Amino acid sequence: MQTVVENKRGWALRDVIFLAIIAIFFGVIYQLWGASYYFLSATPLKPYANDMTIGVWLMAGPLAGVLLQKFGATTIGEVLAAVVEMLLFSSWGAATLIYGFVQGIGSELGFALTGYKNWSKLGLSLSVLTSTIVTFAWDLVNSGYMAYKPGMLITLFAIRLISVGLFAGVLVYLINALVAKSGLMKR
């Protein structure tokens, strides 16, 4: 008789492989998604382009988190996707890594607030909220948002929250449900 011991806290080879797949897939998506940002930036919507498109750039981390359900998976997933994006000649160069880290930490905080015990709707909702707040604070300092008037800042924050909620919240939740239904990530 063989006994199988499940290690919920440690990292298995399967976890690392899934993390690599997520990073490669989203790194390519992130690089391609840059075209949407540049398209919007060439229109009167330019001031809103970053906030309208940021939700897609925040998907790898939460997806890695909900699929792997491990401390650090969210941050590592986002940073590795940023590495892939950068290696694909991202127009933002090495700054892509900094953004990936900020985005990953922002997403990770949501799951941390649950003590890494809720990887479903609550954890994902908190991840959406914390990543929106952290990335917005980063853009206040790094992207010149401090020059905007309060009304514009509120509008940008609301647009960002909707973008992050749709892509890094709802879409990640649906992808996770499909993966769970497939039986690929048996827990």
Side-chain angles (χ1 to χ4, degrees), residues 35-131:
S36 346
Y37 169 80
Y38 286 119
F39 173 78
L40 287 171
S41 292
T43 72
L45 295 172
K46 181 179 182 170
Y48 310 99
N50 184 46
D51 300 280
M52 291 172 72
T53 58
I54 197 167
V56 171
W57 279 301
L58 284 161
M59 288 180 67
L63 186 61
V66 298
L67 288 178
L68 300 175
Q69 299 184 2
K70 302 212 181 287
F71 168 82
T74 306
T75 302
I76 295 168
E78 198 66 55
V79 169
L80 290 178
V83 168
V84 173
E85 180 186 8
M86 183 191 73
L87 292 175
L88 292 172
F89 304 104
S90 166
S91 57
W92 293 284
T96 305
L97 300 177
I98 298 167
Y99 278 94
F101 181 73
V102 169
Q103 292 166 349
I105 290 294
S107 294
E108 186 89 30
L109 284 174
F111 297 113
L113 288 174
T114 72
Y116 295 100
K117 291 181 179 13
N118 188 314
W119 298 95
S120 190
K121 289 179 184 176
L122 175 63
L124 204 48
S125 297
L126 289 171
S127 177
V128 164
L129 185 59
T130 57
S131 62

Side-chain angles (χ1 to χ4, degrees), residues 18 26-27 31 39 49 64-65 69 72 76 82 84 90 92 106 112 118 123 127 144 146 156 161 165 167 182 184:
F18 267 100
F26 278 101
Q31 178 64 3
F39 173 78
Q69 299 184 2
I76 295 168
V84 173
S90 166
W92 293 284
N118 188 314
S127 177
M146 294 292 277
L156 291 174
L161 182 60
F167 291 105
S182 76
L184 204 59

